[in-house]
Structures are given as C-alpha cells and as structure tokens.
Amino acid sequence: MRFAVSVPRFAAMVAVLIGAVAPTAVLDAWPAYRQIGPDEAVVKLSFTHGADRSADCHRNSPEDLAKLPPNMRRPMACPRGRRAVLTELEIDGRVIHAETVAPTGLAGDGPSQLYRRFRVPAGPHRLAVRLRDSARAEGFDHEAKRDVTLAPGQNFTIDFRPDAGGFVLR
C-alpha cells in the first residue's frame, strides 16, 4: 500500500511543525539566565555533623537494674539525643549567618545538617566560620579564618569534617 501526500498538504505539515518547534528553540537560547550576577561569587556553607550527646552517661544502681527486664539491664545508661550545633559565618567582619541547627532523627540522635548559599561580590574577602557542638555556654569549639579572593562565578565551599581537623575551606 502506498501513501501519497500532495505537495500543498506536505508544505502545510512542515509549516505546522516549524510553528510548534520554533518558540521552543527561541526560548531555549533567549533570554539568557544566570543564577548570580556577572560580578558575584557564591559561598556555600554545608556540613553534616553529629554533636556530643545531650547528657552524660550514668551508672545504673542495682535497684534500677532490678526494676528493668533482664534483656535491658545495662550497667551504663546513655541518652540517645544529641546537642544542637551552633554555626556562625562572618564575611569581612560582618556576621551574615548565625543559626542553631537541631539534630535529625525521631529521637534527636542523628547528625545536624546544614546547607546555605550566600551571594557575595567577587574580589578579596576575609572569611571566619565558627561552630559549637558541646555543652559550653559561650564561645566556639571550632573556628577557621582565611583571606580569599573570589573570582566572578566562583563557588567557594565551607565544609566541616572532624576527621580532617575541622573546617575545610575550598
């Protein structure tokens, strides 16, 4: 069986297809979209960190152990919950971010997770980042300072890794 399409009908099909595809092709290239300005850079503060336990372990007394079922009699009782993590990011002497991040998990026993993006002008900056993950009331347990020069469009990442000695800035 042979299909015959007349020339005017074929021309109409091509015109309809071009009419449907042309707007998509134009919008694909125009307008140009940029997430940041041409003279800006991005500083990303991102980490997953489990802080200290919210309370210290304590030794169960013989009376407390006797009240428990045999399968739950442990000499030491340790709470599951973790402390919240306090973070602070300072750029050029100005604190641009300060947040207390609660632990994850139903029992509050998971790590605290943070991801924040900050658009900053490209050029030289003095960065200071701090973190408190212990029971202390004032001050910070970990701190890093660095002078950086950010290029336009650059992504600068700040991570926290205790096994690598604390903050990793790159």
Side-chain angles (χ1 to χ4, degrees):
M1 180 173 202
R2 188 172 166 220
F3 292 101
V5 178
S6 66
V7 173
R9 189 173 189 176
F10 182 74
M13 288 185 338
V14 168
V16 168
L17 288 173
I18 289 174
V21 173
T24 304
V26 168
L27 290 175
D28 181 49
W30 179 85
Y33 175 74
R34 292 181 53 110
Q35 289 185 338
I36 61 174
D39 58 343
E40 291 181 321
V42 175
V43 174
K44 295 178 183 177
L45 176 59
S46 172
F47 67 83
T48 299
H49 175 61
D52 291 341
R53 297 288 176 191
S54 59
D56 295 330
C57 295
H58 67 277
R59 183 167 296 282
N60 284 325
S61 68
E63 295 82 26
D64 290 337
L65 289 173
K67 294 177 189 174
L68 294 172
N71 65 326
M72 296 181 70
R73 294 181 184 165
R74 294 188 194 124
M76 297 296 289
C78 299
R80 289 178 58 178
R82 293 186 180 271
R83 298 183 193 284
V85 174
L86 174 66
T87 60
E88 190 173 275
L89 176 62
E90 181 180 299
I91 298 180
D92 298 328
R94 198 182 92 211
V95 175
I96 64 165
H97 178 76
E99 182 177 355
T100 301
V101 184
T104 58
L106 293 174
D109 59 346
S112 298
Q113 298 176 338
L114 178 74
Y115 175 79
R116 299 288 182 267
R117 280 177 91 239
F118 305 98
R119 291 170 32 178
V120 298
H125 295 283
R126 173 104 176 129
L127 300 178
V129 61
R130 302 172 191 91
L131 183 138
R132 181 187 319 147
D133 60 356
S134 67
R136 70 189 302 170
E138 303 232 353
F140 294 91
D141 300 307
H142 308 278
E143 186 171 355
K145 294 180 181 179
R146 183 173 303 164
D147 291 317
V148 297
T149 301
L150 302 175
Q154 179 179 355
N155 284 309
F156 187 82
T157 305
I158 302 170
D159 192 8
F160 182 76
R161 296 191 183 162
D163 57 336
F167 286 103
V168 178
L169 294 90
R170 55 189 151 124

